[in-house]
Amino acid sequence: MGAVRMRVQTTDKNNTIIHKMSSSSSLPVAAVCQMTATPDKEANFSTCTRLVEQAREGGACMVFLPEGFDYIGSNREETLQLSESLDGDIISRYSHLARKLDVWLSLGGFHERGHDWKTDRRIYNSHIILNGQGELVSVYRKAHLFDVELTSKGVSLKESAFTVPGPRLVAPVQTPIGKVGLGVCYDLRFPELSSALRRHGAEILTYPSAFTVATGTAHWEVLLRARAIETQCFVLAAAQVGAHHAKRTSYGHALAVDPWGEVTGDCGGSDEGLTLVQIDLQRLRDVRRDMPVQQHRRDQDFYCSLD
């Protein structure tokens, strides 16, 4: 079942909630973070730097930040105006941070100016992986855009109004905690994506997110646990929490889930913070050996036989 059994909640001098794992094991540790981004990019960077430093002090070799870690704009024009390219200031600063602390970073949901920015002023929602030398090793651009009108829930978002959907999946990335498959937020609702990443060797799936309160309350945990159970992967989902500005609030509950579907870390629904979780790949291998779901899967023609 893995070596981790007890969580200890502490706070640092900034009252950041830290869920620590007590263990003497040498298993690799991941930090799943939760924050409240605003349109203030400098304040957001300070928050993320503090979280990454705390995670490193807690023994994490890879730190996961949520969608919109760079900022969450209050309107379309502000969102576009604050965006940057991959070689801009924000990613350069995170590269320096990763190199200084010798830690891998999952930067989920960076507002990346699109390839045709000068003509169409649209962006990608990009999940970036930096290694411990600060090098960019992978970029996945979110494929499924959140265009939803939930009138009864007071939710109205049209991501495609300013975002370009990504053209393809990217192969899972070998990291110090295992092979990480990349998604972003709304991608969580599409099991075809997680299944494809699993077929290509993913051991950890990650969905950095900014779920609304309405959808998070109803669907967040059950979707994350479902993706873990059906793929027999660890699932790590950093999250936004609280009020970003007058128009938008996020659900929180950054989660870690093991390959059996058990929640092993939860940052709660109110505070910025992080949870430290050990990644026991032997646990993953045991689950897959005892219930060999992938071996029982039929070929693609079978699943298309109703078409």
Side-chain angles (χ1 to χ4, degrees), residues 33-78:
C33 297
Q34 181 162 287
M35 66 177 294
T36 308
T38 71
D40 187 336
K41 293 168 72 173
E42 193 61 39
N44 298 334
F45 181 73
S46 295
T47 295
C48 290
T49 298
R50 184 176 73 249
L51 289 169
V52 173
E53 289 173 344
Q54 290 164 347
R56 197 68 179 105
E57 289 169 5
C61 58
M62 188 163 187
V63 182
F64 293 79
L65 294 172
E67 181 181 36
F69 70 94
D70 49 349
Y71 64 90
I72 292 183
S74 58
N75 56 57
R76 180 182 184 275
E77 283 310 308
E78 183 175 54

Side-chain angles (χ1 to χ4, degrees), residues 125-145:
N125 190 338
S126 299
H127 187 165
I128 296 163
I129 301 294
L130 301 176
N131 67 18
Q133 289 73 52
E135 298 165 336
L136 191 153
V137 296
S138 188
V139 180
Y140 163 69
R141 297 175 173 95
K142 182 179 180 184
H144 303 98
L145 302 183

Side-chain angles (χ1 to χ4, degrees), residues 1-272:
M1 295 294 291
V4 173
R5 279 294 166 265
M6 183 173 71
R7 299 181 193 85
V8 181
Q9 179 173 304
T10 64
T11 58
D12 73 343
K13 62 185 179 181
N14 297 297
N15 292 319
T16 301
I17 301 297
I18 306 170
H19 300 266
K20 293 183 176 180
M21 297 296 189
S22 68
S23 173
S24 59
S25 170
S26 60
L27 294 170
V29 175
V32 183
C33 297
Q34 181 162 287
M35 66 177 294
T36 308
T38 71
D40 187 336
K41 293 168 72 173
E42 193 61 39
N44 298 334
F45 181 73
S46 295
T47 295
C48 290
T49 298
R50 184 176 73 249
L51 289 169
V52 173
E53 289 173 344
Q54 290 164 347
R56 197 68 179 105
E57 289 169 5
C61 58
M62 188 163 187
V63 182
F64 293 79
L65 294 172
E67 181 181 36
F69 70 94
D70 49 349
Y71 64 90
I72 292 183
S74 58
N75 56 57
R76 180 182 184 275
E77 283 310 308
E78 183 175 54
T79 297
L80 293 173
Q81 187 272 324
L82 291 172
S83 66
E84 298 184 17
S85 63
L86 286 176
D87 57 2
D89 178 65
I90 284 292
I91 297 305
S92 175
R93 294 170 76 180
Y94 278 99
S95 176
H96 176 76
L97 180 65
R99 186 167 58 251
K100 181 179 75 170
L101 298 178
D102 187 21
V103 65
W104 284 60
L105 297 178
S106 161
L107 306 175
F110 169 67
H111 297 82
E112 179 197 359
R113 292 190 174 183
H115 297 308
D116 299 317
W117 169 256
K118 291 184 178 179
T119 57
D120 71 1
R121 284 182 58 81
R122 296 174 77 199
I123 59 178
Y124 291 111
N125 190 338
S126 299
H127 187 165
I128 296 163
I129 301 294
L130 301 176
N131 67 18
Q133 289 73 52
E135 298 165 336
L136 191 153
V137 296
S138 188
V139 180
Y140 163 69
R141 297 175 173 95
K142 182 179 180 184
H144 303 98
L145 302 183
F146 191 67
D147 287 2
V148 174
E149 294 280 348
L150 303 177
T151 306
S152 64
K153 303 292 186 182
V155 175
S156 177
L157 288 169
K158 190 174 180 60
E159 191 174 13
S160 66
F162 53 87
T163 304
V164 183
R168 65 185 64 85
L169 298 178
V170 299
V173 181
Q174 185 64 59
T175 77
I177 64 170
K179 294 191 75 172
V180 176
L182 308 183
V184 178
C185 200
Y186 191 51
D187 287 330
L188 174 60
R189 294 181 182 272
F190 300 88
E192 300 88 347
L193 183 148
S194 56
S195 294
L197 293 171
R198 167 69 177 88
R199 287 197 305 274
H200 287 270
E203 297 164 322
I204 300 108
L205 301 174
T206 184
Y207 297 98
S209 296
F211 257 53
T212 69
V213 173
T215 58
T217 301
H219 302 149
W220 174 244
E221 181 177 323
V222 70
L223 283 169
L224 290 168
R225 295 181 69 191
R227 297 295 84 84
I229 292 165
E230 68 198 7
T231 62
Q232 299 173 312
C233 286
F234 289 92
V235 173
L236 305 179
Q240 294 283 349
V241 66
H244 308 290
H245 45 71
K247 300 177 182 177
R248 186 168 175 186
T249 302
S250 289
Y251 176 66
H253 290 280
L255 286 188
V257 185
D258 79 1
W260 188 247
E262 179 182 354
V263 174
T264 58
D266 182 345
C267 286
S270 59
D271 299 303
E272 295 183 324

